[in-house]
Amino acid sequence: MYAAISADIVSSTSLCVEETIALKQRIEGLFSILEEKYAGFWGRLIKGDYIECLLPSVKDAFRVALIIKSSIKSFPVAESKGKKLFQTYGVRMAMGIGDMRIVDKEQGIMDGDAIYLSGRALSGMGTSNKNGTFLIEAVDKQLTPALRAVGVLTDALLNDATKRQSEVVYYKLLSKGEQEIADILGIRQSGVNQHSTSAKWYCIEEALNYFEQLKFEGA
């Protein structure tokens, strides 16, 4: 049983060339972090604005998806009206949970139910963002309604988060303590706590706990 994440960067064409290059470097750097932290993680950036990730550990997938979203959403860009969608949403994401027929990193091949489900869900999402920007689909259809609810509600919290709040959430998702986060961001621990509270971290953490305790068939 695998979890696949498909995502595309919202309003990527609104970014200038320098921002596009810097964001690409950030995503590739993030993939390196995730490869070290989660055994078997495989992430790739396609055509500059489309992301595909695969994890053999389904229980880690929701956290990884939120790490990717919060990292991109906290990416610094120059203020402009055209970048509002990017600053609000960062990425549209879909997760698929199922078997994989072929996983061959050397040949660059991902083929199976998990990546099919995530890709199809992302394609069917449309570009209006009216129904949220994170869908979860599972081969086990009994789990799908609950997973969708958790995904949509958590996504709504992240979409409302500011850049600084998204940064704090990102580091919390990586299991860093508040003082460590404060040192990284150059702010006080009380500031980290305030941003965490404003971003409704306690709700995000509850959603993570729910997902990570689920029993997926074959996982």
Side-chain angles (χ1 to χ4, degrees):
M1 186 68 66
Y2 280 81
I5 299 167
S6 297
D8 60 11
I9 299 168
V10 175
S11 295
S12 59
T13 55
S14 68
L15 305 181
C16 69
V17 173
E18 291 78 11
E19 290 169 338
T20 299
I21 294 171
L23 179 58
K24 178 179 181 292
Q25 292 171 341
R26 170 176 285 212
I27 293 170
E28 290 175 344
L30 178 60
F31 287 165
S32 296
I33 292 171
L34 294 173
E35 284 173 4
E36 291 181 8
K37 193 171 181 65
Y38 299 101
F41 171 86
W42 175 15
R44 60 188 183 186
L45 183 62
I46 303 170
K47 296 181 180 178
D49 64 355
Y50 189 86
I51 295 167
E52 285 184 334
C53 302
L54 202 61
L55 292 104
S57 175
V58 178
K59 77 177 185 64
D60 295 325
F62 190 52
R63 183 179 293 268
V64 167
L66 299 186
I67 287 172
I68 293 169
K69 170 131 184 161
S70 58
S71 175
I72 294 175
K73 193 170 150 53
S74 63
F75 177 72
V77 294
E79 293 287 337
S80 78
K81 185 177 180 180
K83 294 173 183 174
K84 185 170 178 57
L85 288 176
F86 172 81
Q87 292 169 319
T88 300
Y89 302 109
V91 291
R92 300 181 314 136
M93 311 184 79
M95 182 191 302
I97 299 170
D99 294 326
M100 288 294 291
R101 189 173 68 92
I102 304 174
V103 179
D104 190 330
K105 190 172 181 179
E106 185 175 338
Q107 297 297 322
I109 301 174
M110 299 180 183
D111 184 44
D113 289 337
I115 196 69
Y116 171 74
L117 286 170
S118 66
R120 185 180 65 178
L122 186 66
S123 296
M125 195 182 294
T127 57
S128 67
N129 304 316
K130 290 181 179 179
N131 297 317
T133 51
F134 186 23
L135 289 177
I136 304 177
E137 296 281 350
V139 170
D140 184 350
K141 297 305 179 185
Q142 290 184 328
L143 282 176
T144 294
L147 294 175
R148 281 186 176 180
V150 169
V152 167
L153 293 172
T154 308
D155 182 58
L157 293 176
L158 285 178
N159 289 340
D160 284 341
T162 64
K163 174 183 173 295
R164 180 63 92 187
Q165 289 166 6
S166 298
E167 285 180 314
V168 169
V169 168
Y170 166 73
Y171 287 115
K172 278 185 166 284
L173 288 164
L174 289 175
S175 302
K176 296 188 181 296
E178 288 194 349
Q179 186 56 59
E180 187 177 3
I181 297 171
D183 293 340
I184 293 170
L185 298 180
I187 60 177
R188 296 188 179 190
Q189 184 177 348
S190 60
V192 173
N193 184 267
Q194 183 179 355
H195 289 307
S196 175
T197 300
S198 298
K200 304 293 189 295
W201 168 254
Y202 62 94
C203 294
I204 296 171
E205 192 172 34
E206 189 68 25
L208 284 166
N209 290 338
Y210 171 79
F211 188 95
E212 290 170 357
Q213 290 172 15
L214 287 174
K215 301 297 183 184
F216 294 96
E217 184 180 350

